[in-house]
Amino acid sequence: MNIITCDLSDAYPDITRVVEPIFTNYGGRSAFGGEILTIKCHEDNSLVKEHVGNPGNGRVMVVDGGGSLRCALLGDMLAAAAVKNGWAGIIIYGCIRDVDEIRKMDLGVQALRTIPIKSNRQGRGDLNIPVTFGGVTFHPGEFVYADNNGIIVANQALKMLG
């Protein structure tokens, strides 16, 4: 998929929303996009672990970690499971770890920062609810597109240009 968020934003200005530029691209797949599945969790990646083990079918997991910089919500083992199960990417409003390994994987990953500390799994979190961060509300079933230029959200699938 040839995703260039600049071109998509220009071509679809009335139906795209641009996320504030607070994310860094860490994945081996620098450009990715797909239908959104949302998870809201705070310093507990139980739902992330559960859902990377489910078929991704080219979707993008959008994880609202509350912007916490105290622990990672994604590491190399969960990223490997996401690749194995067909996820296009994961966007985390929080931290990840195992960056050098994740950069080698065919998975789009954008996050705020990195930290070596794992999360404390307690089985908490919410699945497929609207989540808001970076000035945008992400709704399950909408579409997100990301590359090194940034992240955009649309309420429908966008036709790739070029």
Side-chain angles (χ1 to χ4, degrees):
M1 190 179 322
N2 188 26
I3 295 170
I4 302 172
T5 58
C6 298
D7 293 346
L8 292 173
S9 179
D10 290 350
Y12 301 101
D14 296 335
I15 62 170
T16 56
R17 304 181 308 273
V18 179
V19 178
E20 294 169 353
I22 55 177
F23 290 87
T24 299
N25 206 344
Y26 293 104
R29 185 183 294 182
S30 62
F32 61 97
E35 186 178 349
I36 296 171
L37 174 137
T38 65
I39 292 176
K40 185 174 180 83
C41 57
H42 184 73
E43 299 179 0
D44 180 344
N45 70 349
S46 300
L47 284 176
V48 175
K49 180 181 181 191
E50 177 182 340
H51 287 281
V52 294
N54 294 337
N57 300 318
R59 292 177 296 167
V60 176
M61 187 179 298
V62 175
V63 180
D64 180 355
S68 173
L69 303 179
R70 295 190 293 229
C71 68
L73 297 176
L74 180 74
D76 61 341
M77 294 189 322
L78 297 187
V83 171
K84 177 183 174 188
N85 289 301
W87 290 89
I90 302 174
I91 297 170
I92 297 191
Y93 184 52
C95 290
I96 67 167
R97 67 190 211 157
D98 301 314
V99 179
D100 294 332
E101 290 303 312
I102 289 173
R103 283 193 202 281
K104 299 174 189 173
M105 297 181 193
D106 186 24
L107 180 69
V109 177
Q110 293 220 7
L112 296 178
R113 303 255 169 78
T114 64
I115 192 167
I117 301 167
K118 67 180 180 177
S119 81
N120 183 12
R121 289 192 191 129
Q122 297 180 359
R124 295 179 306 194
D126 295 301
L127 178 67
N128 274 336
I129 64 168
V131 296
T132 302
F133 56 82
V136 170
T137 299
F138 299 81
H139 296 274
E142 287 188 326
F143 291 81
V144 64
Y145 303 91
D147 65 8
N148 287 322
N149 297 298
I151 301 170
I152 62 172
V153 180
N155 61 1
Q156 64 189 49
L158 302 180
K159 182 179 181 217
M160 295 302 119
L161 309 170

